Amino acid sequence: MGTELLAPLDLAFWHLESDAHPMHLGALAVFTPAPGTTPPHILDLLRTRAAAIPRLRMCVRDVLLPVGGAAWTVDKDFDVHRHVRRVAVEDGDFMAGATRLAGELMEQPLGRGVPPWQMYLIGGADDGPFAVLVKLHHALADGMRAVAIGAGIFDEIAAATARPVTRGRPAVPPRSWLPDPREMAGLALGRIGEVGRALGVGASVVRAGRLDLRSTAFTAPSSGTRRLATADLDATALQRIRRAEGSTANDILLAVVAGALRRWMAGRGEAPATDPRALVPVSRRRPGGGVSGNRLSAYLLDLPVGAADPRERLRTVRAAMDRNKAAGPLKGAGAVAVLADQLHPLAHRFGAPLAANAARMLFDLLVTSVPLPRTALSLGGCPLSALYPMAPLARGQSLAVALSTYGGRVHVGLVADGKALADLERLAAAVEEEFEELRELVTGGRVPAPVL
């Protein structure tokens, strides 16, 4: 792999980061131990397979042209031992200890000047369950790309893509970031069209902004701390609800999140003064597109926390998401990601601090779904039992919810500011309770108890 410029959105994520606001996403993969497999063996396997993934050998370097730009280049001093480490869980409850430890590790920013990623083998007893925490900078990958990169550690993917690790200078000459002179005229005409598109996208962003910035449970000054919690839902029951209600699985999960927030707030003695607004990312990546950078947009959704009936919440979510899809990805707060594609690198370098503070004008929390392979996966013969995705927090936001489906379960990863949402486990429990309430209401005919 040679040298390539950071895509505009990748550059934006790179400059949005600060020590108190790390811009990495992650996943906590939990495995069932196999006989004869030891932690040192798994650690060596992780290092070998991570080192064989070309993208994980790349770091970010500033470039002269375009001014303010940066490029991915091969790290000539790459040492996988700096990126893959083993940490121990001391708690008796493995999952509780692993989740707590993963939260502490997610607080730590990734180093600059080296490939921006880390993996941690989290284990307790040598013959007990273990987990792998993967941290990737958002500039390195969006959710779909992160899955494609991280999948290289699994037995099934590694066996299919095995190839020798290249060292030193790459075999393919680096691609220059200077355009061919014959392309200049076409680039100039393209930029004229992009200016008009950027103006339209920018207008959508302005219209989506909110002047009323009242504090909510989900917006608070960032402390730089992270707390994680997980929930598990039955994917088969999700499909039954989908067939009964005629909704998409994503709409159902968004409605479940809305109901869980209502339950959680009621448990805190809070009444929702206004429905919180969620940013729901959508991928603009196309199969076979060959684009390595982030390709994201997003939809805005006012989560109907104020609605008492679960079915009403689902109908409200479905109608709002249908409107979003009809309008397309250039409307609302999600257009910020599209707008980033039109900006000069200098705008990202110097405008990122201002943009970071504007997030809470647009949304209160992030809710995203991450697709996973449908096939069973393993590491060193140890079956993958669960994978909890973890989304980054924007500045001024206290909560991000990510969901993935694997092995007949929907795994929910909640990431929160540790000081703002110290009771995150209660919200995770509310997600499971709300899903069960909706399942029984739709498939079992039970009348739901009111949640005030």
Side-chain angles (χ1 to χ4, degrees):
M1 179 175 290
T3 300
E4 63 180 76
L5 282 177
L6 265 72
L9 188 53
D10 299 345
L11 192 63
F13 286 135
W14 190 248
H15 292 305
L16 278 171
E17 183 175 66
S18 67
D19 286 345
H21 306 93
M23 285 302 298
H24 51 254
L25 45 83
L28 184 65
V30 183
F31 296 87
T32 302
T37 303
T38 64
H41 168 69
I42 295 296
L43 186 63
D44 289 342
L45 197 59
L46 278 175
R47 287 171 173 166
T48 299
R49 291 179 177 173
I53 299 172
R55 177 59 64 175
L56 297 185
R57 302 173 67 87
M58 307 289 282
C59 59
V60 177
R61 299 278 190 259
D62 290 340
V63 297
L64 294 176
L65 292 174
V67 177
W72 292 108
T73 61
V74 175
D75 182 4
K76 296 179 180 179
D77 299 319
F78 176 77
D79 181 359
V80 73
H81 292 80
R82 292 188 298 186
H83 296 270
V84 183
R85 303 170 184 171
R86 181 185 177 188
V87 289
V89 173
E90 298 179 356
D91 300 42
D93 184 333
F94 172 76
M95 273 307 300
T99 303
R100 176 193 56 76
L101 184 56
E104 296 174 0
L105 295 170
M106 288 293 286
E107 291 179 6
Q108 303 170 11
L110 292 164
R112 299 208 165 202
V114 296
W117 63 275
Q118 291 282 346
M119 290 186 191
Y120 297 92
L121 174 61
I122 301 175
D126 286 349
D127 58 350
F130 65 92
V132 175
L133 174 67
V134 180
K135 291 169 52 176
L136 299 174
H137 198 285
H138 211 336
L140 183 65
D142 55 25
M144 290 183 67
R145 183 73 175 172
V147 170
I149 293 173
I153 70 171
F154 293 111
D155 299 340
E156 295 74 13
I157 310 299
T161 59
R163 58 180 173 178
V165 178
T166 59
R167 298 187 181 276
R169 182 173 297 179
V172 179
R175 179 182 177 183
S176 172
W177 50 79
L178 292 174
D180 188 291
R182 293 171 295 181
E183 299 176 0
M184 291 301 290
L187 288 173
L189 291 174
R191 291 304 296 175
I192 292 174
E194 288 171 359
V195 168
R197 185 183 183 209
L199 290 174
V201 171
S204 295
V205 174
V206 171
R207 288 195 296 270
R210 301 172 297 178
L211 297 179
D212 181 7
L213 295 181
R214 287 174 293 179
S215 296
T216 71
F218 319 109
T219 57
S222 300
S223 68
T225 61
R226 292 293 180 269
R227 192 176 186 89
L228 307 182
T230 63
D232 292 272
L233 312 177
D234 186 341
T236 301
L238 175 65
Q239 293 306 317
R240 291 196 187 109
I241 298 170
R242 182 187 63 79
R243 289 191 295 269
E245 293 294 313
S247 301
T248 68
N250 195 53
D251 291 349
I252 295 167
L253 293 173
L254 288 167
V256 167
V257 170
L261 292 174
R262 179 182 176 87
R263 287 173 179 271
W264 174 71
M265 294 177 71
R268 290 162 59 109
E270 300 176 3
T274 172
D275 288 339
R277 177 179 287 182
L279 187 72
V280 184
V282 293
S283 176
R284 295 189 294 132
R285 193 180 301 281
R286 294 294 177 264
V291 178
S292 62
N294 278 282
R295 299 290 295 170
L296 290 173
S297 184
Y299 295 135
L300 280 176
L301 175 67
D302 290 331
L303 294 171
V305 172
D309 181 75
R311 274 181 160 158
E312 180 185 350
R313 287 195 290 269
L314 178 54
R315 287 192 293 267
T316 301
V317 166
R318 180 174 57 198
M321 290 300 287
D322 286 346
R323 290 192 296 270
N324 277 328
K325 294 169 187 175
L330 301 186
K331 303 296 182 182
V336 171
V338 182
L339 181 62
D341 289 340
Q342 318 301 322
L343 299 180
H344 190 277
L346 278 176
H348 293 303
R349 186 176 292 268
F350 295 109
L354 296 175
N357 290 316
R360 65 181 298 238
M361 294 179 61
L362 299 170
F363 62 96
D364 298 303
L365 70 155
L366 176 75
V367 184
T368 184
S369 294
V370 180
L372 293 181
R374 295 180 181 273
T375 57
L377 300 172
S378 59
L379 175 61
C382 302
L384 174 68
S385 58
L387 193 148
Y388 302 97
M390 299 171 189
L393 291 181
R395 186 173 307 196
Q397 259 81 48
S398 302
L399 177 65
V401 182
L403 310 100
S404 64
T405 302
Y406 174 80
R409 306 290 293 175
V410 179
H411 304 293
V412 185
L414 299 97
V415 179
D417 184 284
K419 292 187 177 179
L421 273 71
D423 58 344
L424 188 64
E425 289 80 5
R426 292 176 58 188
L427 178 56
V431 170
E432 296 181 349
E433 292 165 2
E434 178 64 24
F435 181 81
E436 184 64 18
E437 182 85 15
L438 182 61
R439 183 194 67 78
E440 292 188 3
L441 175 64
V442 172
T443 64
R446 188 171 65 85
V447 177
V451 178
L452 304 179

